[in-house]
Amino acid sequence: MQRKVLIVEDEPDIARLVRDHLADVGCCAEVAGDAARARALFAAGAIDLVVLDRMLPDGDGLALCGEFRRAAPALPILMLTAKSTELDRVVGLEVGADDYLVKPFSVAELQARVKALFRRVEALRATVPQGDERLEHDGLVIDVQRRTVSVAGAPVELTAREFDLLLFFARHPGRVFSRMQLLDKVWGYNHEGYEHTVNSHINRLRAKIEPEPARPRYVLTVWGVGYKFAEHPAAG
């Protein structure tokens, strides 16, 4: 079954390139050249993936990304943009993008990133619990089925990727993972040079769930190796 992709890109040649090459990996795509058209297409029907340019003629793709993320928390969003600094990447991820690909890009990498995003969605669907599943540790509560998190009784708003990362850690307490392993297990790809993506997500996750982010209680650094979740959470 073909997956439906919304491509938000105001440069027709790039939009056509993305559309044609995503067709090679089983996707059918609709193209929006501006934010207004993108909102209309998004509202019109189920979308399996958004490929989103940051610079649009009638608005900022970051704002549109935030809108889509609030409307569909689990929807994979790939930002495709000429803005290439690490700060630009971090901002894109912060507003809710799952991945960030810089122009000019290789077709092979575009296809690999898209397939990785779909693998993550499929893996999440395969692991949806039949009944209620809760993971609890020292005031942190993860409701897996509802995809909610609270700390000391207060709800915490996480992006889809932050939730996936926290859940992966919590399901493997005490086990140390390198950045490359986390890229592979949580993001679905292991390209060298993207370890900073893991660092950025962990820093933002800590800022949201840790009472003292500089002295984390839940997601711990193992210097020279990677990260781990604190020992012995209790499953409810």
Side-chain angles (χ1 to χ4, degrees):
M1 184 176 65
Q2 283 192 319
R3 295 180 174 94
K4 186 175 179 180
V5 178
L6 173 59
I7 300 169
V8 187
E9 170 59 64
D10 65 330
E11 296 184 41
D13 290 342
I14 294 178
R16 191 178 306 113
L17 176 72
V18 173
R19 183 195 63 200
D20 291 349
H21 286 288
L22 290 189
D24 294 338
V25 293
C27 299
C28 62
E30 292 194 78
V31 176
D34 56 42
R37 176 64 174 160
R39 291 186 181 98
L41 290 174
F42 182 83
I47 301 293
D48 297 308
L49 169 73
V50 175
V51 179
L52 176 61
D53 187 14
R54 178 165 174 178
M55 305 299 292
L56 299 171
D58 59 343
D60 186 351
L62 291 175
L64 194 60
C65 179
E67 290 179 31
F68 289 164
R69 174 57 66 226
R70 289 187 291 274
L75 175 70
I77 300 175
L78 171 63
M79 294 207 77
L80 189 64
T81 175
K83 290 183 173 292
S84 60
T85 70
E86 183 170 1
L87 178 59
D88 289 322
R89 292 172 186 263
V90 168
V91 170
L93 297 169
E94 177 69 30
V95 298
D98 294 287
D99 206 349
Y100 196 105
L101 190 58
V102 176
K103 301 174 185 177
F105 56 89
S106 77
V107 169
E109 185 169 9
L110 169 67
Q111 292 174 330
R113 300 292 190 89
V114 167
K115 287 190 286 186
L117 288 170
F118 285 137
R119 282 198 302 272
R120 179 180 67 84
V121 171
E122 290 167 359
L124 286 172
R125 288 173 179 167
T127 58
V128 170
Q130 296 303 310
D132 289 340
E133 179 186 356
R134 285 159 59 95
L135 298 174
E136 300 184 25
H137 177 82
D138 197 14
L140 172 70
V141 178
I142 304 170
D143 186 317
V144 181
Q145 191 169 33
R146 295 174 180 81
R147 292 181 65 84
T148 60
V149 174
S150 64
V151 177
V156 178
E157 294 293 329
L158 299 181
T159 67
R161 184 73 77 184
E162 290 164 355
F163 182 90
D164 294 345
L165 181 61
L166 177 60
L167 179 59
F168 181 78
F169 274 127
R171 281 178 165 164
H172 301 87
R175 182 175 170 183
V176 181
F177 294 94
S178 70
R179 292 167 182 81
M180 290 295 289
Q181 287 174 319
L182 291 170
L183 276 173
D184 182 49
K185 299 296 185 181
V186 180
W187 277 257
Y189 59 86
N190 56 6
H191 304 301
E192 292 186 9
Y194 289 89
E195 294 93 332
H196 68 275
T197 297
V198 176
N199 297 346
S200 297
H201 274 81
I202 286 177
N203 288 340
R204 289 196 305 279
L205 181 60
R206 283 174 169 167
K208 293 179 179 182
I209 67 170
E210 300 283 0
E212 297 181 68
R215 301 174 60 190
R217 176 188 300 175
Y218 307 117
V219 179
L220 311 179
T221 300
V222 181
W223 296 105
V225 183
Y227 301 95
K228 69 175 183 178
F229 193 78
E231 301 275 359
H232 308 307

